[in-house]
């Protein structure tokens, strides 16, 4: 019955789980430990838990959030003059800055990491903190290397190795040896290989997934530079094996994607080497291996998320506790949104770090409830689609797949038809993305006179699509696009082929093809073969035209809690130009869509009834189609917060933000979800996973196809588009064909500019007829 010691034990158990890569269990246990030691423990206990929670968040790829934990721990350690832990806090802050700099390719953050590390090194030397000195020297070496100062980097790393030898710390010695080998890699791969080979025998005794990944990755790089491609592939595979094992322990889609954020280079390297092998020996086996490598690099956590049930629990959690956390978080969200609307800069609001802590605690709880995968789900999650499976299950003479892979070393387009697999070499990633950015910017905004977007549409067609189309059989009328990088933001339907004097309509690519999208072929294969859990009893659930006036009406009724000790959170949920504008045509849209279905087979929620509680209280598995017409919000920095905005209900603790993490707990059986909301297909873009948007979460909750928008939409034109889409859908047309026909009708209307129709894209299994 010693509660404080129980909290300390939980912290130590979680630390062991963290080292082993079991981040979700670690996060849950750290949070439980922090709750205990905050009440009963010392500042040292609290700082220790905060630092460890920061490490979890850092490994999950959310570096700015991790820094907030480390800074809070640093504040407590400075108050106690605990210089050993101050050095540790500073190193962890620097690690986040460096990782952020590497991923964003912004050297400013690398420079900031060096400044922080130099402060940590000075403190280590002043107070004779040997382990802190080793840690700081190693991190300084890496940061200097990334900043281009190779000689300085090597000197720091050599000093770190000498100190590690003195302490006989095997872990530190392995870590620094790996860093030094990485520094020598380009100019002397043989020396680098020699250093790394000496570390391998010690790896089994080191319980650190991250170190194992980096050592095998750097070994593979050495072999690749020495043109020993077989050995390179073997070691890239070993690194990926550890990555996949760790990723699967995480279990929660967006967390998995965040973890993979800094691991994309390993998958990229494997694709690069497989491409080299195919070019050296263009046989069928190397052709298959290259396709497999590309698929392994795409949407693995998405495939796992759609393959497993989101019910059941591994950890026994009180429902009362879960509800308390949820309501507390909703309460703070409502304060934030209300204050944003009135522009209150001085009033008291929720402390930013306090809000982040509550949010992470709740998300860790939800992630901990994820059910263990069954054996069949494990097989699905690890399976990579083969050419034979793809051609047998997804393709016929009318259907083709185009998969893109963009990389700094060059790009690849894969064309798969029912009888052929072909590769096309394309320019490097930067060239392709520079080519499309301006075009997307023009068509994603309301039309402006004198802006010639048509020329760009034809140029992109010639660069991206025409070489592939020349090899497409004339029988193909359905196209599945597997995009990569910024291509996720490009609606291929809007590309234009030369049409002479013909009308504009005849020149859009969509006049030739029904087009759908997917994050990977493997995930599409699963969606195609996915059996529906039960027969739907109702045709349509339509939710829209929420009552946004309540956000303002209730802002004075919200009980203000904690005074802000930091910058308040007005901008957490809202970009500067966001407003709760009315959606006058959303109600018309809902009525028009609902009118296509018999009363007994539909449920319609509008105005004050379009709220979270009504939605959550329905048996959503009953509906074949679920349609939302409302505002959408995208949080590029933390995808869990992205939301559909419904009517708030402050009296029962519902804030009106149907956030991504809440959608992930819903159980759907829908063949189609329509998100008639701004930017519902957008979100942070991850190399390995694609866009982490709201549409993705509906797939992981059970939808087979999702229609969503790439940019801010016009509610009047959208109401017209949706009405036409459902007209064609009810005629028995396939989903993709109905959308294509509706878009072509828009081209013949006053809403002919791509801004009004091109942003709506169909993802998933779109070549089915619902009626």
């Amino acid at each position: 019955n010693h509660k404080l010691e129980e909290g300390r034990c939980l912290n130590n158990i979680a630390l062991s789980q963290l080292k082993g890569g079991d981040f979700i269990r670690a996060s849950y246990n750290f949070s439980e430990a922090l709750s205990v030691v905050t009440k009963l423990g010392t500042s040292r206990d609290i700082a220790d838990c905060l630092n460890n929670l920061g490490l979890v968040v850092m490994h999950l790829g959310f570096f700015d959030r991790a820094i907030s934990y480390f800074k809070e721990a640093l504040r407590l350690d400075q108050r106690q003059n605990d210089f050993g832990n101050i050095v540790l806090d500073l190193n962890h802050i620097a690690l986040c800055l460096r990782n952020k700099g590497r991923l964003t390719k912004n050297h400013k953050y690398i420079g900031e990491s060096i400044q922080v590390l130099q402060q940590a090194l000075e403190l280590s030397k002043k107070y004779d903190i040997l382990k802190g000195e080793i840690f700081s020297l190693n991190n300084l070496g890496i940061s200097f290397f990334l900043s281009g100062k190779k000689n300085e980097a090597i000197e720091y790393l050599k000093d770190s190795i000498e100190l590690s030898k003195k302490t006989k710390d095997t872990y530190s010695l392995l870590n620094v040896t790996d860093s030094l080998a990485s520094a020598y890699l380009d100019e002397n791969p043989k020396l680098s290989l020699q250093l790394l080979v000496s570390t391998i025998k010690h790896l089994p005794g080191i319980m650190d997934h991250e170190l194992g990944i980096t050592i095998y990755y750097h070994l593979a790089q050495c072999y690749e530079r020495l043109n020993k491609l077989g050995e390179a592939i073997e070691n890239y595979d070993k690194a990926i094996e550890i990555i996949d094992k760790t990723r699967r322990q995480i279990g929660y889609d967006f967390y998995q994607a965040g973890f993979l954020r800094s691991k994309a280079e390993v998958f990229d390297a494997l694709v690069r080497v497989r491409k080299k092998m195919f070019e050296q020996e263009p046989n069928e086996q190397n052709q298959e291996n290259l396709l497999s490598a590309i698929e392994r690099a795409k949407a693995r956590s998405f495939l796992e998320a759609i393959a497993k049930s989101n019910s059941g629990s591994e950890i026994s959690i009180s429902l009362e506790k879960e509800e308390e956390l949820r309501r507390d978080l909703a309460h703070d969200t409502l304060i934030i949104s209300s204050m944003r609307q009135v522009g209150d800069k001085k009033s008291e609001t929720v402390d930013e770090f306090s809000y982040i802590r509550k949010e992470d605690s709740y998300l860790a709880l939800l992630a901990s409830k994820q059910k263990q995968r069954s054996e069949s789900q494990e097989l699905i999650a690890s399976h990579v689609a083969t050419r034979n499976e793809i051609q047998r299950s997804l393709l016929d003479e009318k259907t083709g797949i185009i998969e893109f892979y963009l990389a700094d070393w060059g790009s690849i387009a894969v064309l798969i038809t029912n009888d052929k697999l072909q590769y096309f070499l394309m320019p490097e990633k930067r060239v392709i993305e520079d080519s499309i950015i301006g075009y997307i910017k023009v068509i994603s905004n309301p039309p402006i006179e004198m802006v010639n977007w048509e020329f760009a549409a034809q140029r992109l067609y010639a660069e991206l699509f025409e070489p592939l189309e020349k090899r497409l059989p004339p029988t193909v009328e359905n196209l599945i696009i597997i995009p990569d990088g910024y291509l996720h933001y490009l609606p291929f339907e809007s590309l234009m082929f030369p049409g002479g004097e013909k009308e504009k309509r005849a020149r859009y690519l969509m006049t030739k093809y029904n087009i759908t999208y997917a994050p990977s072929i493997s995930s599409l294969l699963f969606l195609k073969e996915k059996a529906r859990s039960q027969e739907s009893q109702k045709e349509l659930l339509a939710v829209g035209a929420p009552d946004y006036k309540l956000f303002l009406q209730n802002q004075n009724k919200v009980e203000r809690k904690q005074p802000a000790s930091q910058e308040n959170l007005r901008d957490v949920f809202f970009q500067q130009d966001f407003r709760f504008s009315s959606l006058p045509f959303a109600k018309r849209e809902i009525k028009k869509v609902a009118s296509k279905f018999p009363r007994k087979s539909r449920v319609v929620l509008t105005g004050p009834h379009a709220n979270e509680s009504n939605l959550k209280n329905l048996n959503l598995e009953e509906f074949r189609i679920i349609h939302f017409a409302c505002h959408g919000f995208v949080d590029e920095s933390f995808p869990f917060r992205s939301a559909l905005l419904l009517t708030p209900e402050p009296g029962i603790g519902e804030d009106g933000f149907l956030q991504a993490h809440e959608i992930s707990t819903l159980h759907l059986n829908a063949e189609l979800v329509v998100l008639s909301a701004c930017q519902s297909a957008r979100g942070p873009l991850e190399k390995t996973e694609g866009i982490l948007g709201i549409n993705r979460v509906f797939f992981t909750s059970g939808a087979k196809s999702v229609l969503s928008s790439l940019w801010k939409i016009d509610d009047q034109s959208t109401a017209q588009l949706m009405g036409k889409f459902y007209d064609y859908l009810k005629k028995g047309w396939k989903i993709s064909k109905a959308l294509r026909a509706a878009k072509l009708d828009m081209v013949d209307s006053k809403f002919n500019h791509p801004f009004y129709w091109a942003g709506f894209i169909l993802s998933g299994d779109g070549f089915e007829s619902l009626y």
Side-chain angles (χ1 to χ4, degrees):
N1 293 316
H2 197 319
K3 196 68 178 176
L4 176 56
E5 285 305 314
E6 182 181 331
R8 288 169 175 166
C9 285
L10 273 173
N11 182 61
N12 290 333
I13 289 169
L15 193 58
S16 176
Q17 291 166 336
L18 171 63
K19 285 285 186 181
D22 194 350
F23 299 128
I24 297 307
R25 290 178 189 269
S27 179
Y28 181 81
N29 285 324
F30 281 138
S31 293
E32 291 292 284
L34 183 59
S35 296
V36 173
V37 301
T38 299
K39 297 174 182 177
L40 303 173
T42 65
S43 293
R44 174 68 258 135
D45 292 319
I46 298 170
D48 194 29
C49 285
L50 287 169
N51 200 297
N52 290 335
L53 274 166
L55 287 172
V56 174
V57 176
M58 180 180 74
H59 283 300
L60 292 173
F62 299 103
F63 303 121
D64 288 330
R65 294 172 76 85
I67 287 173
S68 68
Y69 282 92
F70 296 138
K71 284 185 174 180
E72 189 69 12
L74 177 63
R75 184 180 64 81
L76 292 173
D77 288 329
Q78 287 173 332
R79 185 186 297 171
Q80 301 296 317
N81 290 323
D82 187 341
F83 295 107
N85 283 298
I86 289 171
V87 169
L88 193 66
D89 299 331
L90 291 172
N91 269 273
H92 289 155
I93 290 169
L95 278 172
C96 289
L97 289 168
R98 188 174 74 213
N99 287 334
K100 185 176 177 181
R102 287 186 64 191
L103 289 175
T104 62
K105 297 182 179 178
N106 188 334
H107 281 275
K108 179 188 81 169
Y109 298 116
I110 306 291
E112 290 177 6
S113 77
I114 290 173
Q115 292 175 8
V116 175
L117 288 167
Q118 286 173 332
Q119 183 184 351
L121 182 60
E122 288 174 10
L123 286 172
S124 298
K125 290 179 175 179
K126 181 177 179 179
Y127 294 100
D128 196 23
I129 306 166
L130 194 54
K131 285 193 174 182
E133 189 174 351
I134 294 170
F135 196 22
S136 302
L137 284 168
N138 182 43
N139 284 325
L140 269 169
I142 298 171
S143 291
F144 270 112
F145 180 76
L146 292 173
S147 67
K149 298 177 180 178
K150 189 172 183 178
N151 292 333
E152 292 95 323
I154 290 175
E155 289 305 313
Y156 279 115
L157 293 171
K158 285 181 177 178
D159 289 345
S160 187
I161 279 185
E162 289 306 311
L163 288 176
S164 297
K165 288 177 180 177
K166 286 182 181 179
T167 62
K168 298 181 180 180
D169 185 337
T170 304
Y171 174 77
S172 295
L173 192 58
L174 289 184
N175 212 357
V176 183
T177 302
D178 174 72
S179 300
L180 188 61
S182 178
Y184 283 131
L185 185 62
D186 288 329
E187 68 178 30
N188 195 342
K190 287 186 178 180
L191 175 59
S192 183
L193 180 61
Q194 182 182 345
L195 288 168
L196 289 167
V197 168
S198 70
T199 67
I200 291 297
K201 61 183 179 182
H202 298 290
L203 262 184
I206 301 295
M207 191 182 72
D208 190 312
H209 74 284
E210 196 74 34
L211 186 57
I213 292 168
T214 58
I215 287 177
Y216 282 121
Y217 174 55
H218 291 146
L219 265 172
Q221 286 184 303
C222 292
Y223 285 121
E224 184 181 353
R225 280 163 173 74
L226 296 170
N227 203 33
K228 296 181 178 181
L229 300 186
E231 291 91 335
I233 287 172
E234 181 183 346
N235 283 281
Y236 284 134
D237 279 337
K238 286 180 180 178
I240 290 173
E241 184 180 332
I242 301 173
I243 291 170
D244 279 344
K245 180 181 177 182
T246 307
R247 173 184 60 78
R248 287 173 191 152
Q249 289 184 96
I250 296 170
Y252 207 37
D253 182 31
F254 284 173
Y255 277 154
Q256 285 194 30
F259 165 73
L260 290 172
R261 183 175 297 131
S262 59
K263 312 296 185 295
E265 59 190 355
V266 186
F267 294 90
D268 188 59
L270 180 63
V271 174
R272 181 179 64 239
V273 177
R274 285 295 187 189
K275 173 178 172 286
K276 289 178 182 178
M277 293 195 76
F278 174 65
E279 289 172 336
Q280 290 177 8
E281 295 183 63
N283 56 40
E284 187 172 330
Q285 184 60 58
N286 283 335
Q287 186 186 58
E288 290 270 359
N289 289 339
L290 177 54
L291 176 63
S292 176
I294 291 173
E295 276 293 295
R296 283 181 78 183
K298 288 193 172 187
R300 302 311 298 174
S301 67
F302 175 72
L303 175 58
E304 181 170 332
I306 62 176
K308 73 178 183 181
S309 167
N310 56 0
S311 61
S313 177
E314 291 188 27
I315 298 176
S316 178
I317 297 168
S318 161
L319 290 176
E320 291 78 10
K321 178 181 177 180
E322 180 179 346
E323 181 62 15
E324 179 185 351
L325 274 171
R326 187 197 65 76
R327 287 175 64 92
D328 201 17
L329 197 59
H331 178 277
D332 288 355
T333 305
L334 193 57
I335 293 176
I336 293 163
S337 62
S338 298
M339 292 191 62
R340 172 61 180 149
Q341 287 304 297
V342 298
D344 187 349
K345 295 182 179 179
K346 297 180 180 179
S347 299
E348 294 177 344
T349 186
V350 183
D351 170 19
E352 180 178 7
F353 182 70
S354 171
Y355 186 85
I356 288 174
R357 275 291 306 118
K358 291 176 185 176
E359 192 171 45
D360 285 340
S361 293
Y362 183 59
L363 293 173
L365 182 146
L366 290 182
S368 299
K369 290 180 64 181
Q370 294 290 303
K371 190 176 181 181
Q372 273 190 320
R373 293 177 302 278
S374 66
E375 187 175 340
S376 62
Q377 290 165 347
E378 187 73 47
L379 288 172
I380 291 168
S382 60
H383 182 67
V384 178
T386 66
R387 170 181 174 171
N388 287 338
E389 287 174 327
I390 294 165
Q391 291 175 326
R392 182 180 68 249
S393 301
L394 292 176
L395 303 180
D396 53 31
E397 63 178 10
K398 294 184 178 181
T399 308
I401 294 175
I402 298 175
E403 180 165 26
F404 292 94
Y405 187 86
L406 308 188
D408 294 334
W409 43 263
S411 302
I412 302 171
V414 188
L415 174 60
I416 312 175
T417 56
N418 65 328
D419 61 348
K420 287 184 180 179
L421 169 61
Q422 304 170 73
Y423 291 101
F424 299 81
L425 299 183
M426 302 181 70
E428 63 188 65
K429 176 182 176 182
R430 177 186 56 80
V431 173
I432 291 176
E433 294 189 340
D434 286 348
S435 185
I436 66 177
I437 286 173
Y439 174 68
I440 294 171
K441 184 176 181 180
V442 170
I443 65 168
S444 63
N445 285 287
I448 302 174
E449 291 185 18
M450 307 303 292
V451 175
N452 187 0
W453 55 270
E454 296 175 17
F455 174 77
Q458 292 184 52
R459 175 178 53 79
L460 286 173
Y461 166 82
E463 293 174 0
L464 295 175
F465 196 81
E466 189 173 22
L468 286 70
E469 189 175 32
K470 289 178 179 178
R471 307 292 288 274
L472 269 176
T475 56
V476 170
E477 58 187 47
N478 302 316
L479 274 181
I480 301 165
I481 305 289
I482 314 294
D484 195 28
Y486 271 47
L487 290 176
H488 282 284
Y489 300 130
L490 176 66
F492 279 75
E493 297 95 318
S494 68
L495 300 185
M496 301 179 78
F497 56 89
E501 298 300 320
K502 294 182 180 179
E503 59 178 341
K504 290 180 184 178
R505 169 176 172 150
R507 297 167 59 195
Y508 285 114
L509 193 59
M510 65 179 174
T511 61
K512 296 183 179 182
Y513 307 104
N514 303 307
I515 298 177
T516 65
Y517 300 84
S520 71
I521 303 176
S522 300
S523 61
L524 182 63
L525 188 64
F526 173 78
L527 288 170
K528 180 75 174 177
E529 297 177 347
K530 180 181 177 183
R532 298 177 66 212
S533 59
Q534 63 182 47
E535 283 300 315
S536 301
Q537 298 177 22
K538 294 186 182 295
E539 293 295 309
L540 174 74
L541 168 62
V543 183
D547 188 351
Y548 293 136
K549 294 192 299 294
L550 291 177
F551 277 99
L552 284 174
Q553 291 173 1
N554 286 291
Q555 67 92 14
N556 291 322
K557 299 178 183 178
V558 178
E559 178 190 356
R560 301 215 190 313
K561 300 204 297 184
Q562 305 172 24
S565 60
Q566 303 176 34
E567 185 70 17
N568 66 47
L569 293 181
R570 290 186 308 276
D571 294 330
V572 166
F573 287 94
F574 298 95
Q575 298 167 347
Q576 290 296 328
D577 60 348
F578 188 92
R579 293 291 184 275
F580 278 113
S581 58
S582 61
L583 298 173
F585 289 91
K587 194 167 186 177
R588 295 189 198 180
E589 177 182 330
I590 291 293
K591 286 184 176 180
K592 187 179 292 187
V593 170
S595 69
K596 317 291 182 186
F597 300 86
R599 285 184 178 275
K600 65 179 181 180
S601 68
R602 74 189 191 208
V603 173
V604 179
L605 303 174
T606 59
H609 303 291
N611 57 54
E612 290 183 80
S613 61
N614 281 340
L615 180 72
K616 293 172 182 177
N617 288 330
L618 288 171
N619 178 7
L620 297 179
E621 292 181 287
E622 288 188 332
F623 299 95
R624 294 186 74 198
I625 300 173
I626 300 176
H627 185 106
F628 289 90
C630 57
H631 278 305
F633 170 75
V634 176
D635 191 316
E636 295 280 358
S637 64
F638 199 58
F640 293 98
R641 286 180 180 159
S642 294
L644 297 175
L645 275 56
L646 305 179
T647 302
E649 304 166 278
I652 61 171
E654 293 288 6
D655 52 33
F657 295 86
L658 183 64
Q659 292 178 262
H661 65 78
E662 294 176 286
I663 297 169
S664 72
T665 65
L666 303 177
H667 297 265
L668 311 182
N669 192 34
E671 294 184 64
L672 173 65
V673 171
V674 178
L675 303 178
S676 181
C678 292
Q679 300 178 307
S680 51
R682 287 186 69 93
L685 178 61
E686 302 292 352
K687 171 61 181 172
T688 57
E689 289 296 318
I691 293 176
L692 305 185
I694 298 173
N695 59 344
R696 177 186 177 102
V697 195
F698 278 99
F699 279 114
T700 63
S701 295
K704 288 191 71 174
S705 62
V706 179
L707 176 57
S708 52
S709 66
L710 286 167
W711 51 70
K712 293 181 179 180
I713 61 177
D714 173 83
D715 70 321
Q716 182 179 2
S717 60
T718 298
Q720 184 170 318
L721 173 68
M722 291 299 169
K724 293 177 181 294
F725 169 63
Y726 279 94
D727 282 338
Y728 292 117
L729 201 62
K730 291 293 287 185
K731 288 181 180 179
W733 291 18
K734 295 177 180 178
I735 304 171
S736 57
K737 186 177 180 181
L739 180 61
R740 171 191 178 191
K743 288 182 174 182
L744 288 170
D745 285 350
M746 295 294 284
V747 174
D748 285 339
S749 73
K750 66 178 181 179
F751 299 114
N752 53 24
H753 189 278
F755 164 72
Y756 297 108
W757 51 265
F760 284 99
I761 60 170
L762 180 63
S763 303
D765 183 15
F767 298 131
E768 296 291 332
S769 299
L770 301 187
Y771 299 97

